[in-house]
Amino acid sequence: MPVHLPASAGPDGAPAMLGVMGGGQLARMFVHAAQTLGYRTAVLDPDPASPAGSVSHLHVRSAYDDPAGLAQLARHCVALTTEFENVPAPALAWLATQRPVAPRAEAVAICQQRAAEKAHFARCGVPCAPYAVLAGEADLQSLDDGLFPGILKTTQLGYDGKGQRSVASRADLATAWTALQRVPCVLEKRLPLQREISVIVARAADGQWVHLPVQQNLHRDGILAVTEAPAPDLPPPLAAQAVEQAARLAASMDYVGVLCVEFFVLDDGSLVANEMAPRPHNSGHYSLDACDVSQFELQARCLAGLPLVAPRQHSAAVMLNLLGDLWFGAGSDAASVPPWDRVLALPGVHLHLYGKAEARRGRKMGHLTVTAAEPAEARRVAREAASRLALPAL
Ligand code: ADP
Ligand code: MG
């Protein structure tokens, strides 16, 4: 991967442009980081009001598979990345014929398909939950009894708990599958979770890699609600094991860029991989405020071929996700702006809003990170912030 310094410019002498497929909040934070390093940025997203498109030098408003849009993006940019895994693989593959693309289309393809992802875990010797593929009518009877109670997940396009159904026993399976439109699914055994953690690694084209501290995640209704970093009282050998497995997974895909691996820690203390995201991850947002290098700067460095340095976490952090529900009081249909002044009055609160025009229930509108010298203090202020916003108690 060639090194692109910001000033290594096109014919007009302007700084080099880095491009991203998708214009949501992850792209917005990437764009901010890339611009801080001196790059111009381009975003391809069909939404005229996309959070990243509105803060970028160039916004290509086209479908993700539109040849003219892709050509325009490639023409302007020295290198390209993606902010979500559901970009059509052929689009990334075509872009790669024009410009360096990181991560590679093949790695994104693994991460966007649960069955392929789990098969890849197995190839790498990384344990995951027992599962089986449900692809057709015949599988309804033949799936192993040991997978119940389980969770039925669509193999593709699931996120934030969408595309999932709880399945208590085989008797529920057909109904759950019908509710998921009978698309290909995996049935995963429901595991007893002690906690959830995730690891974010960044890997350069030469194989050098660095990682953020292991963070602990709390989900509500399938959506990430709270991340704490460092993960409280996580046994160091377990943290090291998670980091080693994430790095192994990245290396095995010849991965370039930022990769997040979500893990379960089971009641017996063992570690099980859940899923991968081929991009920065919601659980790494705290790195913007609590680390000397954020996951988005790492993404920009990987893409531009710049050196990677190990991030150092300088503050304890608790991140709270801010969903659209916050804009609506209990049972109210009218949206009103949450009392930001009340949380900004607390020490160490960093508010990030993504510039989305319309608040909707379940929609990620922003996050806030509380930083403090000690984890107990970050937790105390986060509890107070949650209370002032009428978020569920921590
Ligand atoms: P998504 O792509 O929506 O993030 P996940 O597969 O990560 O889907 O599932 C969302 C959440 O559901 C997980 O973070 C975890 O809390 C819970 N979950 C998923 N799979 C299992 C499982 N096999 N056992 C127990 N809980 C699970
Ligand atoms: Mg997940």
Side-chain angles (χ1 to χ4, degrees), residues 61-358:
R61 293 178 190 81
S62 81
Y64 296 113
D65 56 358
D66 174 49
L70 294 170
Q72 192 189 352
L73 189 70
R75 196 164 58 245
H76 283 91
C77 296
V78 293
L80 298 152
T81 188
T82 177
E83 76 144 357
F84 67 119
E85 50 273 46
N86 294 320
V87 167
L92 283 187
W94 182 82
L95 288 171
T97 65
Q98 309 294 307
R99 295 284 184 250
V101 172
R104 299 181 313 124
E106 294 85 345
V108 175
I110 292 172
C111 298
Q112 74 182 191
Q113 219 276 14
R114 285 191 197 277
E117 184 174 60
K118 288 176 191 303
H120 191 75
F121 288 151
R123 272 197 297 279
C124 293
V126 170
C128 68
Y131 76 100
V133 175
L134 171 56
E137 192 74 33
D139 299 327
L140 288 174
Q141 293 313 318
S142 63
L143 292 183
D144 188 358
D145 286 337
L147 297 174
F148 299 98
I151 304 176
L152 192 63
K153 304 179 179 180
T154 58
T155 56
Q156 279 179 284
L157 301 173
Y159 69 100
D160 286 347
K162 294 185 179 67
Q164 300 195 7
R165 287 288 181 284
S166 212
V167 185
S169 69
R170 189 183 301 277
D172 298 341
L173 191 55
T175 313
W177 194 35
T178 301
L180 297 173
Q181 321 302 326
R182 299 204 151 214
V183 295
C185 285
V186 295
L187 175 66
E188 222 178 278
K189 187 178 173 61
R190 182 177 283 284
L191 299 174
L193 310 189
Q194 180 202 102
R195 58 167 117 192
E196 297 187 58
I197 60 174
S198 56
V199 175
I200 289 166
V201 296
R203 187 171 182 277
D206 65 2
Q208 193 209 342
W209 62 278
V210 299
H211 66 95
L212 290 177
V214 178
Q215 54 268 344
Q216 178 163 313
N217 306 318
L218 173 75
H219 294 81
R220 293 196 185 107
D221 301 326
I223 306 180
L224 182 68
V226 183
T227 293
E228 271 186 78
D233 307 318
L234 188 67
L238 199 64
Q241 197 184 346
V243 169
E244 187 279 320
Q245 291 186 1
R248 197 190 319 163
L249 288 164
S252 68
M253 294 186 286
D254 202 9
Y255 195 90
V256 177
V258 169
L259 176 77
C260 177
V261 186
E262 297 179 10
F263 292 95
F264 301 141
V265 179
L266 304 189
D267 279 350
D268 65 4
S270 61
L271 189 69
V272 164
N274 174 28
E275 61 173 354
M276 300 186 283
R279 50 170 172 78
H281 191 260
N282 197 164
S283 64
H285 289 358
Y286 74 92
S287 61
L288 285 166
D289 300 302
C291 298
D292 56 4
V293 188
S294 76
Q295 62 170 348
F296 301 103
E297 180 173 341
L298 291 173
Q299 182 185 23
R301 287 183 184 228
C302 289
L303 189 58
L306 296 173
L308 297 182
V309 290
R312 182 180 68 85
Q313 184 175 0
H314 50 69
S315 300
V318 177
M319 191 267 334
L320 306 179
N321 255 351
L322 305 172
L323 302 183
D325 307 56
L326 261 185
W327 273 246
F328 301 94
S332 161
D333 285 343
S336 63
V337 177
W340 302 132
D341 53 340
R342 299 203 61 221
V343 284
L344 287 170
L346 295 167
V349 166
H350 310 265
L351 179 63
H352 298 256
L353 294 172
Y354 306 145
K356 297 184 182 179
E358 192 198 347

Side-chain angles (χ1 to χ4, degrees), residues 351-372:
L351 179 63
H352 298 256
L353 294 172
Y354 306 145
K356 297 184 182 179
E358 192 198 347
R360 291 196 296 269
R361 289 184 193 278
R363 189 178 201 200
K364 289 176 178 170
M365 301 298 290
H367 70 269
L368 68 80
T369 301
V370 180
T371 55

